[in-house]
Amino acid sequence: MTKAAQELQITQPALTRTIRRLEEDLGVPLFDRKGRNIYLNPFGKAFAKKAKLIMHLLDESRREV
């Protein structure tokens, strides 16, 4: 989480809160947490796949206009 937060240029607690809110909104956990490590679970992998597609389509749409 710390590395991801640094890459996004936000604090680690802010990233944790954002992920927690997203999981609450979706009604499923996106990560399996094992000690200090976290891994995308099947829900997280499915969500990430669609999110990447959405971001690609958004970039493509911007280029078109």
Side-chain angles (χ1 to χ4, degrees):
M1 283 292 201
T2 302
K3 288 180 185 179
Q6 289 172 346
E7 199 169 306
L8 294 168
Q9 298 180 351
I10 61 173
T11 65
Q12 185 271 328
L15 177 58
T16 300
R17 281 191 305 273
T18 301
I19 291 171
R20 193 169 292 139
R21 280 193 305 258
L22 179 59
E23 289 177 327
E24 288 173 5
D25 184 53
L26 295 171
V28 295
L30 300 174
F31 295 92
D32 288 333
R33 293 160 174 87
K34 295 180 182 170
R36 301 190 86 201
N37 299 312
I38 63 170
Y39 306 92
L40 278 176
N41 64 23
F43 295 122
K45 289 176 183 175
F47 188 82
K49 182 178 177 182
K50 295 293 184 177
K52 286 177 186 176
L53 176 60
I54 290 167
M55 295 306 295
H56 173 73
L57 290 172
L58 181 61
D59 288 342
E60 193 175 273
S61 298
R62 285 182 176 150
R63 283 191 299 273
E64 276 187 33
V65 239

Coordinates of all heavy atoms in Angstrom, one line a residue:
M1 N 0.8 -1.2 0.0 CA 0.0 0.0 0.0 C 0.9 1.3 0.0 O 0.5 2.2 -0.7 CB -0.9 0.0 1.2 CG -2.1 -0.9 1.1 SD -3.2 -0.3 -0.1 CE -4.7 -1.1 0.5
T2 N 1.9 1.2 0.7 CA 2.8 2.4 0.8 C 3.4 2.7 -0.5 O 3.4 3.9 -1.0 CB 3.9 2.1 1.8 OG1 3.3 1.8 3.1 CG2 4.8 3.4 2.0
K3 N 3.9 1.7 -1.3 CA 4.4 2.0 -2.6 C 3.4 2.5 -3.6 O 3.6 3.4 -4.3 CB 5.1 0.7 -3.1 CG 6.4 0.3 -2.5 CD 6.9 -1.0 -3.0 CE 8.2 -1.4 -2.3 NZ 8.7 -2.6 -2.8
A4 N 2.2 1.9 -3.5 CA 1.1 2.4 -4.4 C 0.7 3.8 -4.1 O 0.5 4.6 -5.0 CB -0.1 1.5 -4.2
A5 N 0.6 4.1 -2.8 CA 0.3 5.5 -2.4 C 1.4 6.5 -2.8 O 1.0 7.6 -3.3 CB 0.1 5.6 -0.8
Q6 N 2.6 6.1 -2.7 CA 3.7 7.0 -3.2 C 3.6 7.2 -4.7 O 3.8 8.3 -5.2 CB 5.1 6.4 -2.8 CG 5.4 6.4 -1.4 CD 6.6 5.7 -1.0 OE1 7.1 4.9 -1.8 NE2 7.1 5.9 0.2
E7 N 3.3 6.2 -5.4 CA 3.2 6.3 -6.9 C 2.0 7.2 -7.3 O 2.1 7.9 -8.2 CB 3.0 4.9 -7.5 CG 3.3 4.8 -8.9 CD 3.4 3.4 -9.5 OE1 4.1 2.6 -8.9 OE2 2.6 3.1 -10.4
L8 N 0.9 7.1 -6.5 CA -0.2 7.9 -6.7 C -0.1 9.3 -6.1 O -1.0 10.2 -6.3 CB -1.5 7.3 -6.2 CG -1.9 6.0 -6.9 CD1 -2.9 5.2 -6.1 CD2 -2.4 6.2 -8.3
Q9 N 0.9 9.5 -5.4 CA 1.2 10.8 -4.7 C 0.1 11.2 -3.7 O -0.4 12.3 -3.7 CB 1.5 11.9 -5.7 CG 2.7 11.7 -6.6 CD 3.0 12.8 -7.6 OE1 2.2 13.7 -7.8 NE2 4.1 12.7 -8.2
I10 N -0.3 10.2 -3.0 CA -1.3 10.4 -1.9 C -0.8 9.7 -0.7 O 0.2 8.9 -0.7 CB -2.7 9.9 -2.2 CG1 -2.7 8.4 -2.5 CG2 -3.3 10.7 -3.4 CD1 -4.1 7.8 -2.7
T11 N -1.4 10.0 0.5 CA -0.9 9.3 1.7 C -1.5 7.8 1.7 O -2.5 7.5 1.1 CB -1.4 10.0 3.0 OG1 -2.8 10.0 3.0 CG2 -0.9 11.5 3.0
Q12 N -0.8 7.0 2.5 CA -1.2 5.6 2.6 C -2.6 5.5 3.3 O -3.4 4.7 2.8 CB -0.1 4.8 3.3 CG -0.4 3.3 3.4 CD -1.2 3.0 4.6 OE1 -1.1 3.6 5.7 NE2 -2.1 1.9 4.5
P13 N -2.8 6.3 4.3 CA -4.2 6.2 4.9 C -5.3 6.6 4.0 O -6.4 6.0 3.9 CB -4.1 7.1 6.1 CG -2.6 7.2 6.5 CD -1.9 7.1 5.2
A14 N -5.0 7.6 3.1 CA -6.0 8.1 2.1 C -6.3 6.9 1.1 O -7.4 6.7 0.8 CB -5.5 9.3 1.4
L15 N -5.3 6.3 0.7 CA -5.4 5.1 -0.3 C -6.2 4.0 0.4 O -7.2 3.5 -0.2 CB -4.1 4.6 -0.8 CG -4.1 3.4 -1.7 CD1 -5.0 3.7 -2.9 CD2 -2.7 3.0 -2.1
T16 N -5.9 3.7 1.6 CA -6.6 2.6 2.3 C -8.1 3.0 2.5 O -8.9 2.1 2.3 CB -5.9 2.4 3.7 OG1 -4.6 2.0 3.5 CG2 -6.7 1.3 4.5
R17 N -8.4 4.2 2.9 CA -9.8 4.6 3.0 C -10.5 4.6 1.7 O -11.7 4.1 1.6 CB -9.9 6.1 3.5 CG -9.7 6.2 5.0 CD -10.0 7.6 5.5 NE -9.3 8.7 4.8 CZ -8.1 9.1 5.2 NH1 -7.4 8.6 6.2 NH2 -7.6 10.1 4.5
T18 N -9.9 5.0 0.6 CA -10.5 4.9 -0.7 C -10.8 3.5 -1.1 O -11.9 3.2 -1.6 CB -9.6 5.6 -1.8 OG1 -9.4 7.0 -1.4 CG2 -10.2 5.6 -3.2
I19 N -9.9 2.6 -0.9 CA -10.1 1.2 -1.3 C -11.2 0.6 -0.4 O -12.1 -0.1 -0.9 CB -8.8 0.4 -1.1 CG1 -7.8 0.8 -2.2 CG2 -9.1 -1.1 -1.2 CD1 -6.4 0.2 -2.1
R20 N -11.2 0.9 0.9 CA -12.2 0.4 1.8 C -13.6 0.9 1.3 O -14.6 0.1 1.3 CB -11.9 0.9 3.2 CG -12.8 0.2 4.2 CD -12.3 0.4 5.6 NE -11.0 -0.2 5.8 CZ -10.0 0.3 6.5 NH1 -10.1 1.5 7.1 NH2 -8.8 -0.3 6.6
R21 N -13.7 2.2 0.9 CA -15.0 2.7 0.5 C -15.4 2.0 -0.8 O -16.6 1.7 -1.0 CB -14.9 4.2 0.3 CG -15.0 5.0 1.5 CD -15.2 6.5 1.3 NE -14.2 7.1 0.4 CZ -13.2 7.8 0.8 NH1 -13.1 8.1 2.1 NH2 -12.3 8.3 0.0
L22 N -14.5 1.8 -1.7 CA -14.8 1.1 -3.0 C -15.3 -0.3 -2.7 O -16.3 -0.8 -3.2 CB -13.6 1.1 -3.9 CG -13.8 0.3 -5.2 CD1 -14.9 1.0 -6.1 CD2 -12.4 0.4 -6.0
E23 N -14.6 -1.0 -1.8 CA -15.1 -2.4 -1.4 C -16.5 -2.3 -0.8 O -17.3 -3.2 -1.1 CB -14.1 -3.0 -0.5 CG -12.8 -3.4 -1.1 CD -11.7 -3.9 -0.2 OE1 -11.7 -3.5 1.0 OE2 -10.9 -4.8 -0.6
E24 N -16.7 -1.3 0.1 CA -18.1 -1.2 0.7 C -19.1 -0.9 -0.4 O -20.2 -1.5 -0.4 CB -18.1 -0.1 1.7 CG -17.3 -0.5 3.0 CD -17.2 0.7 4.0 OE1 -17.7 1.8 3.7 OE2 -16.5 0.5 5.0
D25 N -18.8 -0.1 -1.3 CA -19.7 0.3 -2.4 C -20.0 -1.0 -3.3 O -21.2 -1.2 -3.7 CB -19.1 1.4 -3.3 CG -20.1 1.9 -4.3 OD1 -21.3 2.2 -4.0 OD2 -19.7 1.9 -5.5
L26 N -19.0 -1.7 -3.6 CA -19.2 -2.9 -4.4 C -19.8 -4.1 -3.6 O -20.4 -5.0 -4.2 CB -17.8 -3.4 -5.0 CG -17.2 -2.4 -6.0 CD1 -15.8 -2.9 -6.3 CD2 -18.0 -2.3 -7.2
G27 N -19.6 -4.1 -2.3 CA -20.1 -5.2 -1.5 C -19.3 -6.4 -1.4 O -19.7 -7.5 -1.0
V28 N -18.1 -6.3 -1.9 CA -17.1 -7.4 -1.9 C -15.7 -6.9 -1.6 O -15.4 -5.8 -2.0 CB -17.1 -8.2 -3.3 CG1 -18.4 -8.9 -3.5 CG2 -16.7 -7.3 -4.4
P29 N -14.9 -7.7 -1.0 CA -13.5 -7.4 -0.9 C -12.8 -7.5 -2.2 O -13.1 -8.4 -3.0 CB -12.9 -8.4 0.2 CG -13.8 -9.5 0.0 CD -15.2 -9.0 -0.4
L30 N -11.8 -6.6 -2.5 CA -11.0 -6.7 -3.7 C -9.7 -7.3 -3.5 O -9.0 -7.7 -4.4 CB -10.9 -5.3 -4.3 CG -12.2 -4.6 -4.7 CD1 -11.9 -3.2 -5.1 CD2 -12.9 -5.4 -5.8
F31 N -9.3 -7.4 -2.2 CA -7.9 -7.9 -1.9 C -8.0 -9.0 -0.8 O -8.9 -9.0 0.0 CB -7.1 -6.8 -1.3 CG -6.8 -5.7 -2.3 CD1 -7.6 -4.6 -2.4 CD2 -5.6 -5.8 -3.2 CE1 -7.3 -3.6 -3.4 CE2 -5.4 -4.8 -4.1 CZ -6.2 -3.7 -4.2
D32 N -7.1 -9.9 -0.9 CA -6.8 -10.8 0.2 C -5.6 -10.2 1.0 O -4.6 -9.9 0.3 CB -6.5 -12.2 -0.3 CG -7.7 -12.9 -0.9 OD1 -8.8 -12.6 -0.4 OD2 -7.5 -13.8 -1.7
R33 N -5.8 -10.1 2.3 CA -4.7 -9.5 3.1 C -4.1 -10.6 3.9 O -4.7 -11.3 4.6 CB -5.3 -8.4 4.0 CG -5.8 -7.2 3.2 CD -6.8 -6.4 3.9 NE -7.1 -5.2 3.2 CZ -8.1 -5.1 2.3 NH1 -8.8 -6.1 2.0 NH2 -8.4 -3.9 1.7
K34 N -2.7 -10.7 3.8 CA -2.0 -11.7 4.5 C -0.8 -11.0 5.2 O 0.2 -10.7 4.6 CB -1.5 -12.8 3.6 CG -2.6 -13.6 3.0 CD -2.2 -14.7 2.1 CE -3.5 -15.4 1.6 NZ -3.2 -16.3 0.6
G35 N -1.0 -10.7 6.5 CA 0.0 -10.0 7.2 C 0.2 -8.6 6.6 O -0.8 -7.9 6.5
R36 N 1.4 -8.2 6.2 CA 1.6 -6.9 5.6 C 1.5 -6.9 4.1 O 1.6 -5.9 3.5 CB 3.0 -6.4 6.0 CG 3.2 -6.4 7.5 CD 4.5 -5.7 7.9 NE 4.2 -4.3 7.9 CZ 5.1 -3.3 7.8 NH1 6.3 -3.6 7.6 NH2 4.7 -2.0 7.8
N37 N 1.2 -8.1 3.5 CA 1.0 -8.2 2.1 C -0.4 -8.2 1.7 O -1.3 -8.8 2.4 CB 1.7 -9.5 1.6 CG 3.2 -9.5 1.9 OD1 3.9 -8.5 1.6 ND2 3.7 -10.5 2.5
I38 N -0.7 -7.7 0.5 CA -2.1 -7.8 0.0 C -2.0 -8.2 -1.4 O -1.1 -7.9 -2.2 CB -2.9 -6.4 0.1 CG1 -2.2 -5.3 -0.7 CG2 -3.0 -6.0 1.5 CD1 -3.0 -4.1 -0.9
Y39 N -3.0 -9.0 -1.8 CA -3.1 -9.5 -3.2 C -4.5 -9.3 -3.7 O -5.5 -9.5 -3.0 CB -2.8 -11.0 -3.2 CG -1.5 -11.4 -2.5 CD1 -1.4 -11.7 -1.1 CD2 -0.3 -11.3 -3.2 CE1 -0.2 -12.0 -0.5 CE2 0.9 -11.6 -2.6 CZ 0.9 -11.9 -1.2 OH 2.1 -12.2 -0.6
L40 N -4.6 -9.0 -5.0 CA -5.9 -9.0 -5.6 C -6.5 -10.3 -5.6 O -5.9 -11.3 -5.9 CB -5.8 -8.5 -7.1 CG -5.7 -7.1 -7.4 CD1 -5.5 -6.9 -8.9 CD2 -6.9 -6.3 -6.9
N41 N -7.8 -10.4 -5.2 CA -8.5 -11.7 -5.2 C -9.3 -11.8 -6.5 O -9.2 -10.9 -7.3 CB -9.4 -11.8 -3.9 CG -10.5 -10.7 -3.9 OD1 -10.9 -10.2 -4.9 ND2 -11.0 -10.5 -2.7
P42 N -10.0 -12.8 -6.7 CA -10.8 -12.9 -8.0 C -11.7 -11.7 -8.3 O -11.8 -11.3 -9.4 CB -11.6 -14.2 -7.8 CG -10.7 -15.1 -6.9 CD -10.1 -14.1 -5.9
F43 N -12.4 -11.2 -7.2 CA -13.2 -10.0 -7.4 C -12.3 -8.8 -7.9 O -12.7 -8.0 -8.8 CB -13.9 -9.6 -6.1 CG -14.9 -10.6 -5.7 CD1 -14.8 -11.2 -4.4 CD2 -16.0 -11.0 -6.5 CE1 -15.8 -12.1 -4.0 CE2 -16.9 -11.9 -6.1 CZ -16.8 -12.5 -4.8
G44 N -11.2 -8.6 -7.2 CA -10.3 -7.5 -7.5 C -9.7 -7.7 -8.9 O -9.6 -6.7 -9.7
K45 N -9.4 -8.9 -9.3 CA -8.9 -9.1 -10.7 C -9.9 -8.8 -11.7 O -9.6 -8.1 -12.7 CB -8.4 -10.5 -10.8 CG -7.1 -10.8 -10.1 CD -6.7 -12.2 -10.1 CE -5.4 -12.5 -9.3 NZ -5.1 -13.9 -9.2
A46 N -11.2 -9.2 -11.5 CA -12.2 -8.9 -12.4 C -12.5 -7.4 -12.5 O -12.7 -6.8 -13.6 CB -13.5 -9.6 -12.0
F47 N -12.5 -6.7 -11.4 CA -12.7 -5.3 -11.3 C -11.6 -4.5 -12.0 O -11.8 -3.6 -12.8 CB -12.9 -4.8 -9.9 CG -13.3 -3.3 -9.8 CD1 -14.6 -3.0 -9.9 CD2 -12.3 -2.4 -9.6 CE1 -15.0 -1.6 -9.8 CE2 -12.7 -1.0 -9.5 CZ -14.0 -0.7 -9.6
A48 N -10.3 -4.9 -11.8 CA -9.2 -4.3 -12.4 C -9.2 -4.5 -13.9 O -8.9 -3.5 -14.6 CB -7.9 -4.9 -11.8
K49 N -9.6 -5.6 -14.4 CA -9.7 -5.9 -15.8 C -10.7 -4.9 -16.5 O -10.3 -4.3 -17.5 CB -10.1 -7.3 -16.1 CG -10.2 -7.7 -17.5 CD -10.6 -9.1 -17.7 CE -10.7 -9.5 -19.1 NZ -11.1 -10.9 -19.3
K50 N -11.8 -4.7 -15.9 CA -12.8 -3.8 -16.4 C -12.4 -2.3 -16.3 O -12.6 -1.5 -17.2 CB -14.2 -4.0 -15.8 CG -14.8 -5.3 -16.0 CD -15.2 -5.5 -17.5 CE -15.9 -6.8 -17.7 NZ -16.4 -7.0 -19.0
A51 N -11.7 -2.0 -15.2 CA -11.3 -0.6 -15.0 C -10.2 -0.3 -16.0 O -10.2 0.9 -16.5 CB -10.7 -0.5 -13.5
K52 N -9.3 -1.2 -16.3 CA -8.3 -0.9 -17.3 C -8.9 -0.7 -18.7 O -8.5 0.2 -19.4 CB -7.3 -2.1 -17.4 CG -6.3 -2.2 -16.2 CD -5.4 -3.4 -16.3 CE -4.6 -3.5 -15.1 NZ -3.7 -4.7 -15.0
L53 N -10.0 -1.5 -19.0 CA -10.7 -1.3 -20.2 C -11.3 0.1 -20.3 O -11.3 0.8 -21.3 CB -11.7 -2.4 -20.4 CG -12.6 -2.3 -21.6 CD1 -11.8 -2.4 -22.9 CD2 -13.7 -3.4 -21.6
I54 N -12.0 0.5 -19.2 CA -12.6 1.8 -19.1 C -11.6 2.9 -19.3 O -11.8 3.8 -20.1 CB -13.3 1.9 -17.8 CG1 -14.6 1.0 -17.8 CG2 -13.7 3.4 -17.5 CD1 -15.2 0.9 -16.4
M55 N -10.4 2.8 -18.7 CA -9.4 3.8 -18.8 C -8.9 3.9 -20.3 O -8.6 4.9 -20.8 CB -8.3 3.6 -17.8 CG -8.7 3.7 -16.4 SD -9.5 5.2 -16.0 CE -8.2 6.4 -16.3
H56 N -8.7 2.7 -20.9 CA -8.3 2.7 -22.3 C -9.3 3.4 -23.2 O -9.0 4.1 -24.1 CB -8.1 1.2 -22.7 CG -7.8 1.1 -24.2 ND1 -6.6 1.5 -24.7 CD2 -8.6 0.6 -25.2 CE1 -6.6 1.2 -26.0 NE2 -7.8 0.8 -26.4
L57 N -10.6 3.0 -23.0 CA -11.7 3.7 -23.8 C -11.7 5.2 -23.5 O -12.0 5.9 -24.5 CB -13.0 3.0 -23.5 CG -13.2 1.6 -24.0 CD1 -14.5 1.0 -23.4 CD2 -13.1 1.5 -25.5
L58 N -11.5 5.6 -22.3 CA -11.5 7.0 -22.0 C -10.4 7.7 -22.8 O -10.6 8.8 -23.4 CB -11.4 7.2 -20.5 CG -11.4 8.7 -20.0 CD1 -12.7 9.4 -20.4 CD2 -11.2 8.7 -18.5
D59 N -9.2 7.1 -22.7 CA -8.0 7.7 -23.4 C -8.3 7.8 -24.9 O -8.0 8.8 -25.6 CB -6.8 6.9 -23.2 CG -6.2 7.1 -21.8 OD1 -6.6 8.1 -21.1 OD2 -5.4 6.2 -21.4
E60 N -8.9 6.7 -25.5 CA -9.2 6.6 -26.9 C -10.2 7.7 -27.3 O -10.1 8.3 -28.3 CB -9.7 5.2 -27.2 CG -9.8 4.9 -28.6 CD -10.3 3.4 -28.8 OE1 -9.4 2.5 -28.8 OE2 -11.5 3.2 -28.9
S61 N -11.2 7.9 -26.4 CA -12.2 8.9 -26.7 C -11.6 10.3 -26.7 O -12.0 11.1 -27.5 CB -13.3 8.8 -25.6 OG -14.0 7.6 -25.7
R62 N -10.7 10.6 -25.8 CA -10.1 11.9 -25.7 C -9.3 12.1 -27.0 O -9.3 13.2 -27.5 CB -9.2 12.0 -24.5 CG -9.9 12.1 -23.2 CD -9.0 12.3 -22.1 NE -9.7 12.5 -20.8 CZ -9.3 12.1 -19.6 NH1 -8.2 11.5 -19.5 NH2 -10.0 12.4 -18.6
R63 N -8.6 11.1 -27.5 CA -7.8 11.2 -28.7 C -8.7 11.5 -29.9 O -8.3 12.3 -30.8 CB -6.9 10.0 -28.9 CG -5.7 10.0 -28.1 CD -4.7 8.9 -28.5 NE -5.3 7.5 -28.5 CZ -5.3 6.7 -27.5 NH1 -4.8 7.1 -26.3 NH2 -5.9 5.5 -27.5
E64 N -9.8 10.9 -29.9 CA -10.8 11.1 -31.0 C -11.3 12.5 -31.1 O -11.5 13.1 -32.2 CB -11.9 10.1 -30.9 CG -11.6 8.8 -31.5 CD -12.9 7.9 -31.6 OE1 -14.0 8.4 -31.8 OE2 -12.7 6.7 -31.4
V65 N -11.5 13.1 -30.0 CA -12.0 14.5 -30.0 C -10.9 15.4 -30.0 O -10.9 16.5 -30.6 CB -12.9 14.8 -28.7 CG1 -14.3 15.2 -29.1 CG2 -12.9 13.8 -27.7

